[in-house]
């Protein structure tokens, strides 16, 4: 926040702070889902963020679906 208030770059620092905050909040949300799904109730499990928490699963699933549709479109005889 102090960096954002210092400014001087036309709001770029503020956008970076907001982006970092949003990314962290999303990771914490995914961590909550992960801990709940795995029923992890250890101190480390509840307080540590792992790489999986920073991965956007919805985007990954969307990319996989798009790739599958492209593959289907390339099949001879299948098309609009």
């Amino acid at each position: 926040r102090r960096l954002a208030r210092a400014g001087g770059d036309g709001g770029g620092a503020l956008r970076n702070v907001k982006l970092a905050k949003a990314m962290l909040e999303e990771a914490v949300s995914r961590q909550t889902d992960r801990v709940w799904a795995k029923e992890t109730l250890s101190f480390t499990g509840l307080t540590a963020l792992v790489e999986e928490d920073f991965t956007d699963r919805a985007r990954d699933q969307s990319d996989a679906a798009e790739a599958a549709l492209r593959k289907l479109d390339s099949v001879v005889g299948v098309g609009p």
Side-chain angles (χ1 to χ4, degrees):
R1 292 182 183 172
R2 282 178 262 140
L3 177 62
R5 278 188 234 130
D9 68 347
L14 181 59
R15 283 190 298 273
N16 288 343
V17 169
K18 287 181 179 182
L19 176 61
K21 182 180 178 195
M23 289 175 66
L24 182 60
E25 288 173 350
E26 289 174 15
V28 169
S29 177
R30 289 187 197 107
Q31 178 215 26
T32 301
D33 294 341
R34 174 179 53 83
V35 168
W36 178 260
K38 293 181 180 179
E39 298 180 3
T40 305
L41 297 176
S42 68
F43 180 77
T44 302
L46 293 170
T47 59
L49 293 173
V50 296
E51 183 176 352
E52 174 185 347
D53 299 329
F54 290 91
T55 303
D56 187 353
R57 284 176 250 133
R59 186 184 65 195
D60 291 345
Q61 290 172 349
S62 176
D63 290 348
E66 288 179 25
L69 289 173
R70 281 193 302 275
K71 189 172 183 177
L72 282 174
D73 287 341
S74 70
V75 175
V76 175
V78 177

